[in-house]
Structure formats: C-alpha cells, structure tokens
Amino acid sequence: AQSVTQPDIHITVSEGASLELRCNYSYGATPYLFWYVQSPGQGLQLLLKYFSGDTLVQGIKGFEAEFKRSQSSFNLRKPSVHWSDAAEYFCAVNEAAGNKLTFGGGTRVLVKP
Amino acid sequence: NAGVTQTPKFRVLKTGQSMTLLCAQDMNHEYMYWYRQDPGMGLRLIHYSVGEGTTAKGEVPDGYNVSRLKKQNFLLGLESAAPSQTSVYFCASKRGSPTGELFFGEGSRLTVL
C-alpha cells in the first residue's frame, strides 16, 4: 500500500529565509505526487504536482519541488519565505492507475518576522 | 463559482446521535471523497465515489456510511456518533483521472460529546 511520511511536524523560519519541507513516499511504481497547502480554517489548495518528465516542478506562490526516485522523496522548496506562507503543508501520493490520494501527516510552517 | 460546498460547517452532537454531512460540487466531477483531519495524522480517507450510484471504502470507514444518489452530491452519515468521531471533515472532488487536482470544501467541524 502506498504511504507518505513528512518527518517534520513543525518548522519555524524567518521571513526572507529559504524553506525546505521533506516528503518521503512508499510506492512500488512511479507515483503521482502532490503538494497541498492549508491556510488556517480553510480547505486544501494544490501547490504543484509531478507525474513524469522533468523532476523539478514549479508551482504556484513561488514554490518548487524535486522528485528523486533513488531517495523516494519529493521535497518542497521556496527560496524566500513571506509571512503569508505560514500554513500547513501536505504531501500526497496517488497510484498511477488509482483513484485515491494518500496524504502525509503534514508540516506546520511558522514564519517569524 | 461555488466549487465544493459543505454543510453544516459546525455541529455538536451527543454520543449516540445521528447526523448527515452534505457535500455539493458544481464542477461536474466524477470522483468525490470524504476525508477526516486529526492533528498530526494528516487527512485520512473515509469513503469515496467514482460516479453516481457508486461508493467505496477508504482507510477509516467504520462508523460512517455514504451515498451518491446524484452526481453533484455526496452525503456522509454517522448513524451513532462516538467521541472518537470528533474531527474536521473535508469533502473533495476531481475529474476522473489519477492526475486530476482535488478540489476541497472548507471543512465541517464536528464535536461529539
């Protein structure tokens, strides 16, 4: 069965600093990978997704993620964090031919002024 | 431009009471999902549907029932609520493709006393 691990429960970063959120997945074949963001009291919004091709994918709000098959990872990055990036971030995986998205436990990001 | 709408947004129940959460989407999506969100556990899939008249179990289906009588609606029922079902519930929908983006409602916070 597919699974997703986000090792960091909380991350605190200063505004303007870089951010990297880790995601590791467990799945036999090439997975479809997603990052979602949840602002307080809101539903989830898609940041970016990877299916195939270039392993570095660009998303909205200046985020990017890199797929590394050898490490079973799909880490999310942003070069310079803004206060509005304070939120909870979820990595998710979908089987290539499946209908179900499996989410990681989430990483809550706090941004210091 | 409603997207995915959940009702009610807040509800308090006593143990043993029943209730139904309604999810409505206006994007003509084939697939619909119910997730529950608990601190540190990410989103866990309760039930899902790949089309009108179909439903399937997810990761944590016990204590819940669902129905998809109309394509645009997906109902989640609790027949006899338990305190362990205190959670935030999210409905989501997407096109019928593994690569499709999930669109989420804003959530329904349920407390069972």
Side-chain angles (χ1 to χ4, degrees), chain A residues 3-71:
Chain A
S3 66
V4 181
T5 302
Q6 294 180 246
D8 304 305
I9 297 174
H10 292 102
I11 286 182
T12 300
V13 60
S14 296
E15 191 168 15
S18 63
L19 174 68
E20 180 167 13
L21 304 182
R22 296 183 291 165
C23 172
N24 294 98
Y25 66 90
S26 172
Y27 179 60
T30 299
Y32 294 168
L33 296 159
F34 303 79
W35 274 100
Y36 283 83
V37 61
Q38 183 181 32
S39 298
Q42 301 295 315
L44 280 71
Q45 179 186 20
L46 180 68
L47 281 176
L48 48 78
K49 57 188 177 183
Y50 171 79
F51 305 136
S52 63
D54 192 348
T55 57
L56 185 64
V57 293
Q58 303 296 320
I60 62 171
K61 305 185 180 186
F63 285 92
E64 65 179 25
E66 185 172 14
F67 171 61
K68 292 185 177 180
R69 183 189 302 277
S70 61
Q71 298 177 18

Side-chain angles (χ1 to χ4, degrees), chain A residues 66-94:
Chain A
E66 185 172 14
F67 171 61
K68 292 185 177 180
R69 183 189 302 277
S70 61
Q71 298 177 18
S72 297
S73 69
F74 188 55
N75 294 349
L76 181 72
R77 297 194 293 255
K78 186 168 184 177
S80 178
V81 169
H82 187 262
W83 64 265
S84 60
D85 293 322
E88 190 156 19
Y89 294 79
F90 294 93
C91 183
V93 63
N94 195 88

Side-chain angles (χ1 to χ4, degrees), chain A residues 36 38 43 51 90 96 99 101, chain B residues 31 33 35 37 90 98-99 102:
Chain A
Y36 283 83
Q38 183 181 32
F51 305 136
F90 294 93
N99 305 317
L101 206 57
Chain B
Y31 294 178
Y33 304 81
Y35 286 90
Q37 183 179 27
F90 285 96
T99 62
L102 268 179

Side-chain angles (χ1 to χ4, degrees), chain B residues 16-85:
Chain B
Q17 287 185 318
S18 63
M19 76 157 296
T20 300
L21 295 175
L22 169 64
C23 177
Q25 53 95 3
D26 61 2
M27 296 172 282
N28 201 34
H29 285 167
E30 289 293 328
Y31 294 178
M32 296 187 74
Y33 304 81
W34 276 108
Y35 286 90
R36 59 177 290 173
Q37 183 179 27
D38 303 290
M41 304 187 75
L43 280 76
R44 293 180 292 168
L45 183 63
I46 304 171
H47 286 281
Y48 65 102
S49 168
V50 298
E52 182 178 317
T54 74
T55 63
K57 295 180 180 180
E59 182 184 355
V60 288
D62 294 342
Y64 304 95
N65 56 75
V66 288
S67 64
R68 183 101 180 267
L69 299 180
K70 294 183 178 181
K71 185 177 183 179
Q72 64 268 34
N73 295 338
F74 194 30
L75 278 64
L76 178 70
L78 286 72
E79 291 187 347
S80 180
S84 61
Q85 293 178 304

